[in-house]
Amino acid sequence: MAKREQAREEAAFARGDVGVDGAATEEEKDEAEVEKGKAREQLLRGRAYLGREFMTWLLWRSESGDPLVEYAGAGVVVLYLGKVVLRGVAGDVTEMSAKGTLAPYSENVRHSLDRGLLVSQARLRISHGEREYEVTLDSEFLDIRAAKLPALMTEEEDDQLSERLELTEQLSAIVDALVQDFLAVRAGRAWSKQVVPALKAWMKGEEKGSDLLSKAARAKGRDARAARG
């Protein structure tokens, strides 16, 4: 028993939990603070999961090459390119990545999605009118990383700075518009009955997925008209 106790003390010291005198290096946290921390962790996990649902839904919708939303009078077209990272919360495989120009749309990726993984991070090309952006999007907080802006039109340094800020703000607004479109679908009555079956059919490579998507789009239109009414 003495040896076990000594081993536990040595392990605690190695982790930095206790000092050389055996006293705790950090004060014990208040129970209420611990509960707040747990609640915050659960909230962030929920947001992360919703972000993964959004990026998976966006991958599915983007395959057609059609405009997904309209922003500032022009359609927004999204294309996944390069590396895509998939993550799950349970199962034998909890993370995988695929690389290549059209790897996100590959059968292997769809098969992995069908087995429970969701898109966690991806590189996107976002076309808006004549402008093209490239951005790495992370589902955790829908952070925009490593963005490549369209070519600048101005030559003066001060004007270029203003143009970069304008383009950055526009990119953020476009991503927000895509997220809002997803949230409207996610909260709609058609999500579980039509959108999810269509998404699953796409993952399995079934042609009927596109037919189900058309029905889901019509249902979304009905929901939008009902909300306006």
Side-chain angles (χ1 to χ4, degrees), residues 47-53 55 87 119-121 137-143:
R47 287 178 177 171
Y49 192 82
L50 191 63
R52 293 178 192 178
E53 278 193 350
M55 293 189 64
R87 289 196 176 97
V119 179
S120 176
Q121 187 179 98
L137 194 62
D138 191 290
S139 68
E140 194 73 17
F141 299 101
L142 292 179
D143 290 336

Side-chain angles (χ1 to χ4, degrees), residues 213-227:
L213 175 57
S214 298
K215 292 180 181 178
R218 290 195 294 271
K220 176 190 170 186
R222 289 196 298 271
D223 286 344
R225 288 193 294 274

